[in-house]
Amino acid sequence: MEVLTIMSNNKYLTKITAASLLGDGGIYIPTSTRSINGRFYIAQIEDHKDYLDWLADKHATIAKTTIYGPYSVKCPQCVNPKKQYRLQTAQIPFYTKFRQRMYPQGKKVIDPHYLTQLDYEFLAIWYQEDGTYISCLERKDYVRERIQLASMSFSYAENLLLREALKEKLNLIWNIRRVKSKSGGFLYQLELYKKQYDVFINGVMPYIQPSFMYKVTRKDKLSLEMKK
């Protein structure tokens, strides 16, 4: 476990937690306990246990942190669903502040305050949890690629806020892509400007855990270049 001072610990864990809350992480206050404080939690499939181990090591510097599993997930529509692990921390005031700021009405929202922490490590955490790299060789001389962040749970205005922060902090340009929802309405997600793929990948690469390396490995592009 990395030993940090209280001050640097809280600053670093603020970044780690804020990044994860844009992805798969969450904070809740259990009604089954007497504590009024929140706890952080996140689940990942068993393939990504290395990522949860890394995350647990960070959170354990301020709170008791436990990883449960592996356990089966009920998913009738899934074919051979993989087992999952769940990371969960103790309830402490540190997480309560996030709950108060990012769940004002019970639903997660973007808080501009936490976007001040945005750097490539922040982005790598967010991308590992909720990002997608799509690559396919459409023709012998053309690779179709997309790098996206699954920001569909946030409003269009919040996606604008995220896009502006990414441009200001990292000089990365993201388009806001409209996606049709099952209800017939529209959701919005961020998609990286194609000419910046190499910049993005080089930036997040040092922070990517081994099981997520497939999200930064441009296999089809390398294959195409080898054919030339």
Side-chain angles (χ1 to χ4, degrees):
M1 182 190 305
E2 184 179 359
V3 179
L4 302 171
T5 65
I6 294 176
M7 184 176 295
S8 65
N9 190 336
N10 285 342
K11 184 177 180 180
Y12 183 68
L13 260 296
T14 294
K15 180 178 75 171
I16 296 297
T17 306
S20 196
L21 287 175
L22 293 187
D24 295 328
I27 291 175
Y28 73 105
I29 301 175
T31 57
S32 58
T33 66
R34 294 182 179 180
S35 175
I36 62 172
N37 288 312
R39 66 163 40 124
F40 175 82
Y41 70 94
I42 183 173
Q44 292 286 326
I45 61 173
E46 56 187 341
D47 294 359
H48 301 312
K49 174 69 161 43
D50 62 336
Y51 177 73
L52 285 189
D53 288 338
W54 176 85
L55 205 58
D57 186 64
K58 305 303 180 186
H59 283 277
T61 60
I62 62 168
K64 181 181 178 181
T65 304
T66 307
I67 295 178
Y68 299 97
Y71 56 88
S72 299
V73 178
K74 293 182 180 179
C75 183
Q77 70 273 22
C78 299
V79 179
N80 298 322
K82 293 185 177 182
K83 292 183 177 181
Q84 291 190 353
Y85 284 92
R86 178 185 174 93
L87 179 156
Q88 183 172 291
T89 70
Q91 294 173 250
I92 62 172
F94 176 82
Y95 300 116
T96 310
K97 293 179 181 178
F98 281 95
R99 179 73 191 184
Q100 292 168 344
R101 295 186 68 117
M102 294 190 69
Y103 296 80
Q105 303 298 327
K107 180 183 177 182
K108 192 189 299 185
V109 300
I110 299 297
D111 187 328
H113 169 71
Y114 294 122
L115 296 182
T116 60
Q117 301 286 328
L118 184 59
D119 59 14
Y120 270 113
E121 184 175 25
F122 183 116
L123 183 55
I125 293 168
W126 182 10
Y127 180 63
Q128 286 174 102
E129 293 183 17
D130 228 6
T132 304
Y133 170 58
I134 302 170
S135 176
C136 59
L137 195 60
E138 290 195 345
R139 301 190 305 269
K140 66 177 182 179
D141 59 346
Y142 178 70
V143 176
R144 182 176 181 81
E145 296 179 289
R146 283 183 179 176
I147 290 178
Q148 300 169 329
L149 291 167
S151 51
M152 287 87 77
S153 62
F154 301 117
S155 67
Y156 179 75
E158 289 175 307
N159 272 273
L160 280 174
L161 191 63
L162 292 169
R163 185 177 71 174
E164 291 171 3
L166 287 160
K167 177 65 170 68
E168 178 185 349
K169 292 292 186 178
L170 301 174
N171 199 31
L172 291 174
I173 301 172
W174 298 73
N175 299 312
I176 299 178
R177 184 169 175 262
R178 193 167 69 166
V179 182
K180 196 168 185 178
S181 67
K182 293 181 180 179
S183 63
F186 290 99
L187 303 173
Y188 304 93
Q189 73 175 135
L190 296 170
E191 185 169 296
L192 185 63
Y193 180 54
K194 294 183 184 301
K195 291 185 178 180
Q196 291 193 309
Y197 285 4
D198 287 336
V199 175
F200 168 83
I201 288 174
N202 289 336
V204 300
M205 181 74 80
Y207 309 104
I208 302 294
Q209 297 302 306
S211 69
F212 278 115
M213 286 300 293
Y214 67 92
K215 289 191 177 185
V216 291
T217 304
R218 304 176 70 183
K219 294 180 180 178
D220 288 335
K221 181 181 178 183
L222 291 174
S223 177
L224 179 59
E225 290 175 347
M226 289 175 65
K227 290 180 181 179
K228 292 182 179 179

